[in-house]
Amino acid sequence: VLPATLLLGRFAVDLGDESVYLREDWVFGFEEPVMFENGRVPSEVAPDLDLVHLSGMGQVLLGLPGPLRSTEVRHDAPVTVPLQHWVGWQGQLSPRVVALGWEGPEGTPAPAVELSGEGVALLCVPAGTT
């Protein structure tokens, strides 16, 4: 799991030798040695999700509304994260946007990201939310 440091409402994350896939809207900036590649998770449930794949030595600055958390994903145990809490992933995971069984604020099914494979799901759940 990536080590993170809180810095003025932003989280500085050290990549080390790892690579990470992050939602583009959570990435505030990154150091020059960090390599990036843009991507997208297509969706029929919500707008497509813009991603950035970051790798190399250096730090990434994330603008999150709360602490960065992680949960393990195994081949035999996919993980589903509500879209508003999903930050990204590390490892050999395949993301898929799905609709949860309850309604979101607009009266439509709440979108979530289902991750399958082997790795770590990254999420952020601000205090006082579910």
Side-chain angles (χ1 to χ4, degrees):
V1 178
L2 298 172
T5 305
L6 180 60
L7 177 68
L8 299 174
R10 306 274 189 249
F11 289 87
V13 179
D14 189 358
L15 289 178
D17 286 335
E18 301 289 329
S19 71
V20 64
Y21 292 85
L22 299 168
R23 283 180 50 185
E24 196 172 273
D25 51 342
W26 293 125
V27 177
F28 188 76
F30 50 89
E31 291 182 309
E32 190 174 331
V34 175
M35 296 177 286
F36 73 96
E37 182 179 3
N38 292 329
R40 179 170 286 171
V41 177
S43 171
E44 294 180 10
V45 176
D48 291 351
L49 301 176
D50 293 325
L51 297 176
V52 61
H53 176 221
L54 300 168
S55 61
M57 299 297 285
Q59 290 192 339
V60 177
L61 197 58
L62 301 175
L64 300 175
L68 181 63
R69 305 282 187 207
S70 63
T71 189
E72 182 181 4
V73 181
R74 299 185 324 259
H75 286 290
D76 61 341
V79 169
T80 302
V81 179
L83 186 58
Q84 74 266 23
H85 301 306
W86 184 61
V87 176
W89 79 89
Q90 280 185 290
Q92 301 298 315
L93 297 178
S94 296
R96 182 173 71 103
V97 180
V98 297
L100 292 174
W102 61 83
E103 291 185 357
E106 293 84 35
T108 60
V113 175
E114 180 185 83
L115 298 157
S116 58
E118 199 74 30
V120 176
L122 303 172
L123 52 133
C124 174
V125 181
T129 61
T130 57

